[in-house]
Structure formats: C-alpha cells, structure tokens
C-alpha cells in the first residue's frame, strides 16, 4: 500500500476518529504485526500536538501459546496492572485508539473453559473502563490494519503478499481514505448519517417488525424516550469523536423485555478468536430462550451465559445493504467491517446515551426504563438484501423503514 494512502488513513483516525486535542495523551492498543502503521500513528499524533503517546502491544502468537499451555487458573483473574494502566490514563482524559486485526480463528480448538474464563475476567476487570467507553466519558476509536492470518482468511486463494495488499486496498476504500480529502469526505458522510438519525428521533417509533427470507421474524420494542445515534459522538466535555472507522450505522437500544421472535445471523461472528457461524437466537420477552449454531456453538453458549444481562439485547443498528462495505462483496470476518455492511443487534450492555438522561440513571432506573446492563457487548449481523423493517408508532400507524435491505425514506 502506498505511503500517501497510509498517511491519509492515520490522519483520519487521529483527526476524525479520536479528534486528538492539543496536549492530550493518546493510548494506542496495537498488534505487534501492525507496528509500521502504529509508528506512523505515533509520529502523526506528536505532530498534532499530543502530550504523550503510549502503545500497549499485543501478539496473537503469544496469546495462542498462553491458551494452549497456560494453567486454567491464570485466566480466572485479569492482572491488576493491566486494569490500572487503562484507568490511569482514562482518569487523565486520554484518548484510546484500538487496532482490531486478530486472526479470526486464532483460538480454534482451544479449551472453551479457558476462553470463557478469560472473557469474563476481562469484562469484570475492565468494567469501570468500559463504563467510561459506554457513557462517552472518553474519546475512543477502533480501526483495522491487515495482518497475514486475517488477510489469508479473507483472501485464501492468493499469495501472502497479494492477500495483505488486497486487504489493505479493501480497508482503505471502505474508510474512504482513497478520496482526495478523507477528513472532508467524512464530515459530509457524518452529516448524511445524522439526517437518518434525526428522522428516527423525531418519529419515536414504539416497535419494529423485522423479517427476511433467511428466517428472521422479530418484534423489537423501543423504550420510551429512546434516542438514536449515528457515527459522531460527543464526550461529556464537548469533544466530538467517531468511535468506529468505518461506520455506516444509525443505532439505538431495544427495550430489554420487548424482543420476541427469532433472528438468524447473516454473517459469521468472530468472537474472541472463535468463529460462530450459521447461528440463530429465539427471544421471549427479551430473553434468549433458545439458540443454535452450525459451528462455534460452545462459544455462543459462553457468550450468552456471561451474566444475566447477556441473555438480553443492548443495541439495534440499521445499516443499508447497499453500502460501500457491503458492495465490496467481501466477508471480512471482522466485526468492525461486517457490522457496517449489515443491520445488527448486540448481545449485552446498552449504551446509556441511547435514552434521554440515561447517563444519570441508577441501576434501578435503568431496569425500570428497559435499559439492559451487562459485562459484555457483542454485535452480530442479521441484515440481508431482502430485509424489511416496519416501524409502528404510538398510535399504531405503520411506516416502512427498510425495504429490500435499504432505507425506505
């Protein structure tokens, strides 16, 4: 990939994604394999006036060796120093940029008990940090950079170099970094998403009826005074940021107890290094009462049993089938990209900002309003080219929201 495109991408992540402020600290979480691009981010961040840039490195090979050979007890508790590091910088108002680029099948065949314990201990250990993320107390952003294992999963029938180059091209195009001025392009893109968000907030639908030929037949109630959000968020301190690059979604929360019917996943879910494929969930009064998967069912079971809240949903997101990422016809095996090519739901925690005054709610007020609380938040995709969504307002009037996979308004 040419250096000019990479610099545009780095610029986009820092100026639009994090919206790095003068003298602000930046924390980057990066695979060692993506070090060249991470170093570019570090240099550019200092050029933009960063006070300090800290990099937390991770490595798929070492992670797999740990899961293969480590005693199960080491996965039961997250090291306190990892928790303290993130919270130390979060309390100081740092921005957090994560590079999502894991091998989709890294932990295939690994003891599922180890994986489940590791997921739970991490969610418990980082609960306070995740609360800052979910309430927009900090600026945060997720981007992706190719790694060889990921690239070969997406493009298995070409050479290693070609696979990585193909994935780079797909990423650069998907995030609009191949335009003349990506930052300005993104400002216009965010305005387009805001138009959809504003319309849905004005309508305040009480319920969505969601159906497609794959077998999804779902009724999703929305809480009173729910709020739709789109690509741009704002911290409590008034700083705009974009959490995901790319982003094509407009999202809100379902009522915790208002989901009924069946939903069938339209894309595989890469969950913690395990692929969950061809799965379905059945809901009654919001709770997942049945589930199945062609592969990865044990990982799905562990996800659903993380805690009480992981048996319920926390997000509904609308993404047109005719979107730039979907139109690449590439299955990325990476939720950051696949969720922005498809309507999706999230198991677990709801964003408090998706209901009026939600950031001030106590646990009791959240429960009363139908806002789900959980240690986890995991998106999965259900959108298809024949997806239809009907909105029903408080008077019982019906309106097409999606017809044949795309916005109807």
């Amino acid at each position: 990939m040419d250096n000019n495109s990479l610099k545009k991408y780095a610029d986009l992540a820092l100026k639009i994604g994090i919206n790095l402020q003068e003298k602000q600290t930046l924390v980057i979480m990066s695979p060692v394999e993506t070090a060249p691009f991470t170093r570019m981010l570090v240099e550019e961040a200092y050029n933009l006036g960063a006070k300090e840039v800290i990099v937390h490195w991770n490595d798929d090979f070492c992670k797999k060796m740990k899961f293969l050979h480590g005693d199960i007890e080491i996965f039961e508790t997250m090291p306190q120093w990892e928790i303290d590091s993130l919270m130390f910088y979060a309390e100081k108002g740092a921005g957090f940029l994560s590079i999502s680029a894991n091998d989709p099948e890294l932990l295939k065949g690994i003891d599922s008990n180890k994986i489940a314990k590791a997921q739970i201990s991490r969610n418990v250990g980082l609960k306070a940090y995740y609360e800052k993320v979910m309430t927009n107390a900090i600026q945060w952003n997720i981007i992706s950079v190719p790694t060889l294992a990921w690239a070969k999963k997406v493009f298995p029938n070409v050479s290693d170099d070609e696979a990585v180059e193909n994935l780079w091209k797909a990423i650069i195009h998907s995030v609009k970094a191949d335009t003349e001025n990506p930052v300005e392009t993104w400002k216009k893109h965010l305005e387009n998403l805001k138009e959809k968000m504003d319309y849905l907030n004005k309508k305040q639908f009480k319920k969505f009826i969601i159906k497609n030929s794959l077998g999804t037949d779902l009724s999703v109630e929305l809480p009173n005074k729910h709020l739709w959000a789109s690509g741009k968020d704002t911290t409590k301190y008034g700083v705009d940021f974009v959490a995901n690059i790319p982003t094509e979604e407009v999202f809100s929360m379902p009522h915790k107890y208002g989901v009924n019917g069946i939903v069938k996943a339209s894309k595989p879910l890469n969950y913690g290094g395990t692929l969950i494929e061809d799965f379905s969930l059945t809901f009654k009064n919001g709770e997942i009462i049945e589930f199945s998967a062609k592969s990865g069912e044990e990982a799905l079971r562990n996800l659903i049993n993380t805690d009480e809240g992981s048996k319920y949903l926390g997000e509904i997101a609308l993404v047109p089938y005719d979107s730039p990422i979907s139109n690449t016809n590439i299955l990325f095996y990476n939720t950051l990209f696949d969720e922005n090519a498809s309507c999706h739901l999230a198991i677990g925690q709801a964003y408090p900002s998706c209901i009026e005054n939600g950031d001030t709610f106590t646990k009791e007020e959240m429960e009363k309003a139908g806002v789900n609380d959980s240690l986890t938040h995991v998106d999965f995709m259900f959108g298809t080219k024949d997806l239809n969504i009907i909105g029903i307002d408080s008077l019982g009037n019906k309106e097409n929201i999606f017809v044949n996979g795309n916005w109807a308004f």
Side-chain angles (χ1 to χ4, degrees):
M1 179 53 57
D2 67 274
N3 204 52
N4 184 52
S5 294
L6 297 182
K7 286 187 175 180
K8 284 184 176 182
Y9 189 22
D11 203 45
L12 185 62
L14 294 170
K15 290 183 176 179
I16 292 292
I18 292 293
N19 189 11
L20 188 67
Q21 303 294 292
E22 184 80 17
K23 298 301 180 183
Q24 184 178 20
T25 296
L26 175 67
V27 178
I28 301 175
M29 287 164 275
S30 168
V32 294
E33 196 174 340
T34 67
F37 185 75
T38 301
R39 290 168 184 149
M40 182 180 289
L41 286 169
V42 171
E43 182 178 16
E44 182 60 19
Y46 279 120
N47 289 338
L48 291 173
K51 179 179 181 180
E52 183 181 12
V53 182
I54 297 95
V55 181
H56 288 186
W57 299 102
N58 57 77
D59 180 53
D60 272 357
F61 177 83
C62 294
K63 180 178 180 179
K64 185 169 186 176
M65 289 300 102
K66 181 177 179 178
F67 274 96
L68 276 172
H69 304 294
D71 291 340
I72 194 166
E73 65 184 38
I74 69 174
F75 300 100
E76 295 175 350
T77 306
M78 185 178 179
Q80 189 63 40
W81 68 266
E82 292 188 54
I83 301 168
D84 291 344
S85 177
L86 290 177
M87 288 304 298
F88 174 82
Y89 291 112
E91 294 291 348
K92 289 184 175 297
F96 291 80
L97 195 159
S98 299
I99 297 177
S100 171
N102 301 109
D103 177 354
E105 297 185 290
L106 178 69
L107 301 184
K108 185 177 182 179
I110 297 292
D111 183 349
S112 62
N113 288 325
K114 289 183 179 180
I115 298 172
K117 287 181 181 295
Q119 292 281 1
I120 291 173
S121 67
R122 183 171 181 81
N123 288 336
V124 170
L126 294 181
K127 184 172 177 57
Y129 171 75
Y130 289 145
E131 284 179 354
K132 288 184 177 293
V133 169
M134 299 295 281
T135 60
N136 293 341
I138 57 176
Q139 297 142 260
W140 58 282
N141 172 255
I142 304 174
I143 61 171
S144 285
V145 174
T147 59
L148 179 58
W150 176 27
K152 289 295 287 184
K153 180 64 180 179
V154 179
F155 300 103
N157 300 318
V158 298
S159 69
D160 290 357
D161 289 346
E162 190 175 354
V164 171
E165 183 66 15
N166 286 347
L167 187 52
W168 258 127
K169 289 178 180 177
I171 289 174
I172 292 297
H173 177 70
S174 296
V175 302
K176 312 179 197 306
D178 55 357
T179 59
E180 183 176 349
N181 189 330
V183 170
E184 290 303 315
T185 299
W186 265 82
K187 288 179 180 179
K188 294 176 183 177
H189 174 56
L190 293 171
E191 282 300 315
N192 290 335
L193 291 176
K194 184 177 182 298
E195 289 180 8
K196 302 296 185 186
M197 177 191 79
D198 289 344
Y199 183 82
L200 290 171
N201 280 328
K202 180 181 178 181
K203 296 294 292 189
Q204 279 292 297
F205 290 105
K206 300 298 291 183
K207 181 189 294 185
F208 282 167
I209 303 299
I210 305 171
K211 295 182 180 182
N212 66 11
S213 62
L214 196 61
T216 291
D217 189 350
L218 201 65
S219 171
V220 177
E221 293 181 24
L222 301 165
N224 291 330
K225 298 183 179 180
H226 66 274
L227 296 172
W228 289 88
S230 58
K232 185 168 68 175
D233 291 294
T234 304
T235 68
K236 295 177 178 180
Y237 310 105
V239 179
D240 293 337
F241 69 99
V242 176
N244 292 341
I245 291 179
T247 183
E248 301 287 340
E249 66 181 299
V250 177
F251 63 95
S252 188
M253 66 171 71
H255 191 288
K256 178 177 180 179
Y257 301 109
V259 182
N260 288 278
I262 186 170
V263 61
K264 295 201 173 183
S266 57
K267 295 177 183 288
L269 169 62
N270 176 9
Y271 176 62
T274 300
L275 279 181
I276 306 172
E277 300 180 277
D278 295 337
F279 64 96
S280 66
L281 306 173
T282 301
F283 294 85
K284 183 176 181 180
N285 297 328
E287 183 178 5
I288 299 171
I289 58 170
E290 292 180 15
F291 63 90
S292 65
K294 184 178 179 180
S295 64
E297 188 169 289
E298 188 64 24
L300 181 60
R301 178 180 288 106
N302 290 335
L303 167 58
I304 293 169
N305 290 324
T306 299
D307 60 10
E308 183 60 29
S310 57
K311 298 175 178 63
Y312 298 84
L313 296 179
E315 179 185 347
I316 178 169
L318 306 183
V319 180
Y321 187 81
D322 184 20
S323 67
I325 301 171
S326 178
N327 289 340
T328 65
N329 293 314
I330 295 173
L331 178 58
F332 283 89
Y333 298 98
N334 179 305
T335 300
L336 177 62
F337 287 86
D338 291 335
E339 74 169 3
N340 284 298
S342 169
C343 288
H344 53 275
L345 299 164
I347 292 172
Q349 177 74 38
Y351 289 100
S353 57
C354 284
I355 192 168
E356 191 174 311
N357 299 319
D359 290 346
T360 67
F361 282 6
T362 63
K363 297 294 185 184
E364 292 75 18
E365 289 171 331
M366 287 175 62
E367 178 68 16
K368 184 177 180 181
V371 181
N372 193 32
D373 183 34
S374 177
L375 290 170
T376 194
H377 178 98
V378 178
D379 297 317
F380 68 92
M381 289 61 73
F382 69 89
T384 59
K385 64 181 179 180
D386 65 351
L387 181 73
N388 293 314
I389 302 176
I390 296 174
I392 302 176
D393 67 19
S394 58
L395 299 176
N397 299 312
K398 296 180 179 180
E399 180 179 338
N400 288 328
I401 305 302
F402 266 51
V403 174
N404 291 326
N406 291 306
W407 292 104
F409 60 87

